[in-house]
Amino acid sequence: MESVSHENRKFAPPAAFAENAHIGSMEAYHALYEKSIKDPEAFWAEAAEDLHWFKKWDTVLDASEAPFYKWFSGARTNVCYNCVDRHLEGPNRNKAAILWEGEPGETRMLTYQDVHREVCKFANGLKQLGIKKGDRVAIYLPMVPELALAVLACARIGAVHTVIFAGFSADSIRDRVNDCGAKCVITADGGWRRGRVLPLKNIVDEALVGAETVTDVVIVKRAHGDPFPCHVKEGRDHWYHRLVQDQPIDCPCEEMEAEDMLFLLYTSGTTGKPKGIIHTTAGYMVYTHQTTKYIFDMKPEDVYWCTADVGWVTGHSYIVYGPMQCAATQIIYEGAPDSPDEGRFWDIIEKYRATIFYTAPTAIRAFMKWGDQWPEKHDLSSLRLLGTVGEPINPEAWMWYHKTIGAEKCPIVDTWWQTETGGHMLTPMPGATPTKPGCATVPFFGIEPAILTDDGEAVEAGILAIKQPWPGMLRGIYGDEQRYKDTYWCKWGGKYYFPGDGARRDEDGYVWILGRVDDVVNVSGHRIGTAELESVFVEHKDVAESAVVGVPHEIKGQGLIAFVTVIKGRSHDDQLLKELVSMIDKSIGKFARPERILFSNDLPKTRSGKIMRRLLRDIAEGKKLGNTSTLADPSVVEHLRRQYEES
Ligand code: WTA
C-alpha cells in the first residue's frame, strides 16, 4: 500500500470549543478510551444507562457464537421510544425535532410531541394494513418528514425497515424487495430534485411487477399529481393522509429483544448482488447515541444539519436514530444544493442559525468549484462544528472547508465508518483531537484499529482491521450467513473485522484512510461495486466481457471507467453506447453511470484468464504501466492504452 500524502499541518481545537465540550482534552479522551478497551463491557453498560430499557440486559457482550456477536442479551427496549417518547416528559416535549424545508421553499416544523403523534398514527396505520413485528417494509421516499416518521413508525411496531435511496431504479427496488420479502412499500407520488419532480410512485409501480410479496403500498402526497398522474391501484395502494387520518394518537411501543432486527440496508460489495446489511436493536441504539453525543458534541441548544439522504446509512444513524435519541433539533432539506442557486445550503444555515453541519467531501469540492461568492453572501457565524463523511477528503478541500465555511473557528470531524459499522469508528473528538487535513485521526471509544498485511502482520501502511466487536456492528447479511463470515471475518482467521479499506498510521499514531482495497468504488460517497456494473453490461447481447475500474475524479472523489469488449463481428457504435448507459440507469440508477465507456477487442488477462484491473487503472489514470510480465498477451494492453488516449 502506497501513500502519497505528506500533510503536516495540524489544528488544535479552539480553546472556546474545548472548554465546553463533552470531551475537552486528549487526556480526557485517552482516559475514557483506555477504559473502553480494557473493560468494554463496563464501558458499554455505563453508556447504555443513558437510555430507556423495558428490561435491562443479562450480559453486555456474548461472543459465544462469534462472529455472530450479541450485545445486551436479555434486554428489552425500543429505539423509537428512545428517540421520541423519552423526550415527552421534560422540556424537550415542545422542542423542535425537525425543521424541514422543501426544495421549492415550503417549510414545516415538528416538535417531539408532533413527531410522537404522527409516528403513532403512522404506526397504527401500518398495523391496520396487517404489518406486524418482524415484517419487512421498504421505504422509497424523498427527503420529506414522512421519511423519518416512516422509519420510526416501523421501529415502533418492530417492523424491519429497508430504506431504498430515491435515486435507485425500478429494477433495484424489485431486487431489494424480493431479497427481503417486503410486505409493504412506502413511497410518494413524487419528490423534488433540481426544480423537477421525480415520479417515485410510477417507478415503484414498475418495480412491483414481479414482486409477489408486496401486498400494500402507502403513498405520501408530495407532488400533488403534477406533472404526471399517480395511479392508485385499488386494494393495494393507500394514500398516507387517508390511512393516518382517523388513527388513534397513541400506539404503544413493541418491546423488542436486544437482538431483534431493526433494519436492513442494502449496500454494494464485490459481487454483482448487493448485500442486505442487518442491524439489530440494542447495540445499534447505544452506539449511535454515544457517537452522536461525543462526535457532534451535541448540546440542547444546537441546530444540527446532516445533508445526507436517509437512503444511505449516514441518514439512518445521523439523521434519524442518533440525533433523535439526543433530542436534537435538526434541519432536513429535500432538494439539491444548487437549487434555485449555488447558495442554497448557506441560505439554509443562515436562516435556521445552524450550529453543526455534516456533509460529504464531494459536496465540499463542488462548493469550492462554484466559488466563494456563494458562502460569502451569507452569515455563517452560527456554525461551531463541521463534519465530513463517506469518502476520503483531500487536504485542499479540507482547508477550504476550514477557512471559508468554518472561519477557522470550527473543528472538523472527518468521520470514517461504513454501513456495516453502524456508526463512527475513526474520527477526531471535536474538543480534544488536534486535526490534520484529510485524516480521520483516532478511534472512537471501544474501537481498536490495526493495520495489517494480508498475512496479519502489523505494518505502518496496509489493510485496515478492527480488533474487537463493538455494539453498532452489523449482525449479518440477510439470508446469507456464509457471505457474512466470508466477507468480513475470514481474512485473518476470525480475529479481526475486515472493512475493505487501506490505511496508514503516522508518527502521531493517527490513522489515514487510503481508500478501498477491494473492487468497490466510492463515487460521490456512494458505494458502487464494479461487479454490479459489469454484470449489467454483459447482459447486452453484443457484449462479450467487461471490466470496470475506479479512477480519481476531481469532484466525485472517484469516477468509473468501463472497458467493454464486443462479441466478434458486432459493431460498437454510439447506439450501443446509448443502450449500455440506459441499461445502467434501468438496473441501478443514474448515479452509477460511468464517466467513460471504452470499447476494445480484448482485455489484459493473466495466463489463467484473470482480468488485470490494475493495468486498466493505470491506463485510465494515464500512468506508466505496471508490471505486464504475467500477461497472456502483453500487446493487448499497449493497444488499449493507445486507444484510450486517442478516444
Ligand atoms: C469510505 C458511509 C475516508 C470507506 C458512512 C468506507 C471514508 C466506505 C470515510 C463506506 C472517511 C467513509 N474517509 N473514507 N471519513 N467515510 N469512507 O457504507 O471506503 O456508504 O469503507 O458508509 O466509504 O461507505 P458506506
Side-chain angles (χ1 to χ4, degrees), residues 545 603-612 628-633:
E545 201 170 36
L603 292 171
K605 287 187 193 149
T606 59
R607 276 172 216 111
S608 59
K610 195 168 166 290
I611 298 175
M612 291 194 68
T628 56
S629 63
T630 54
L631 284 179
D633 177 2

Side-chain angles (χ1 to χ4, degrees), residues 540-544 565-573 576 601:
H540 194 288
K541 62 177 185 354
D542 293 344
V543 172
T565 60
V566 172
I567 290 173
K568 257 207 169 71
R570 309 276 167 80
S571 63
H572 43 82
D573 49 14
L576 177 59
N601 297 326

Side-chain angles (χ1 to χ4, degrees), residues 101-107 305 333-352 367 370 374 378:
E101 189 158 310
E103 194 183 78
E106 9 24 339
T107 59
W305 185 20
Y333 168 59
E334 177 188 35
D338 53 353
S339 185
D341 63 37
E342 288 85 343
R344 186 63 184 271
F345 275 18
W346 320 125
D347 180 55
I348 291 175
I349 289 177
E350 177 174 13
K351 179 169 167 190
Y352 297 95
F367 301 144
W370 294 339
W374 297 107
H378 296 277

Side-chain angles (χ1 to χ4, degrees), residues 35 40 72 123 156 183 209 228 271 286 293 296 303 311 365 449 487 503 506 566 592 599 609 627:
K35 189 172 154 190
F72 303 105
R156 192 167 190 90
K183 270 174 99 169
V209 177
F228 34 76
T271 73
V286 171
K293 173 174 156 189
F296 297 124
V303 177
R365 289 188 290 262
T487 308
D506 73 10
V566 172
F599 296 116
N627 184 357

Side-chain angles (χ1 to χ4, degrees), residues 165 167-168 193 267-268 309 312 360 362 390-391 520-529 556 558 560 591-592:
F165 171 60
F168 275 112
R193 190 82 192 167
T267 190
S268 293
D309 194 289
W312 308 110
T362 290
E391 44 177 327
V520 172
V521 180
N522 206 319
V523 181
S524 303
H526 301 160
R527 263 167 78 167
I528 299 172
K556 300 175 181 176
Q558 279 189 294
L560 298 160
F591 67 91

Side-chain angles (χ1 to χ4, degrees), residues 44 47-48 51 53 57 59-61 69-73 75 77-79 82 256-263 278-291 317-318 321 325 421-423 444 469-475:
W44 290 114
L51 299 166
W53 303 85
W57 49 94
T59 50
V60 177
L61 172 63
Y69 295 95
K70 297 193 185 83
W71 286 87
F72 303 105
S73 287
T77 186
N78 184 292
V79 194
N82 279 292
M256 303 292 283
E257 302 289 337
E259 287 297 341
D260 278 339
M261 225 180 268
L262 176 63
F263 68 85
I278 299 172
H279 282 287
T280 59
T281 300
Y284 175 82
M285 177 177 91
V286 171
Y287 198 72
T288 49
H289 177 250
Q290 285 292 297
T291 47
S317 299
Y318 300 114
Y321 289 119
Q325 283 189 80
T421 70
F444 187 68
W470 64 100
M473 65 192 290
L474 78 164
R475 300 300 199 272

Side-chain angles (χ1 to χ4, degrees), residues 615-626:
L615 292 174
L616 293 174
R617 267 191 293 268
D618 289 345
I619 292 173
E621 289 179 41
K623 278 198 200 153
K624 204 170 140 275
L625 289 180

Side-chain angles (χ1 to χ4, degrees), residues 83 98 139 143-145 147-149 151-152 161 163-165 262-263 265 279 284 288 292 296 304-325 330-333 358-360 389-390 415 417-419 422-424 525-526:
C83 288
I98 295 172
I139 301 175
M143 284 285 283
V144 290
L147 175 47
L149 300 175
V151 164
L152 290 167
H161 58 77
V163 184
I164 303 169
F165 171 60
L262 176 63
F263 68 85
L265 186 57
H279 282 287
Y284 175 82
T288 49
T292 304
F296 297 124
Y304 166 88
W305 185 20
C306 166
T307 68
D309 194 289
V310 176
W312 308 110
V313 74
T314 304
H316 284 62
S317 299
Y318 300 114
I319 292 178
V320 182
Y321 289 119
M324 294 194 77
Q325 283 189 80
Q330 71 176 314
I331 297 166
I332 297 182
Y333 168 59
Y358 190 39
T359 197
V389 56
T415 58
W417 59 293
Q418 309 178 294
T419 303
H424 303 145
H526 301 160

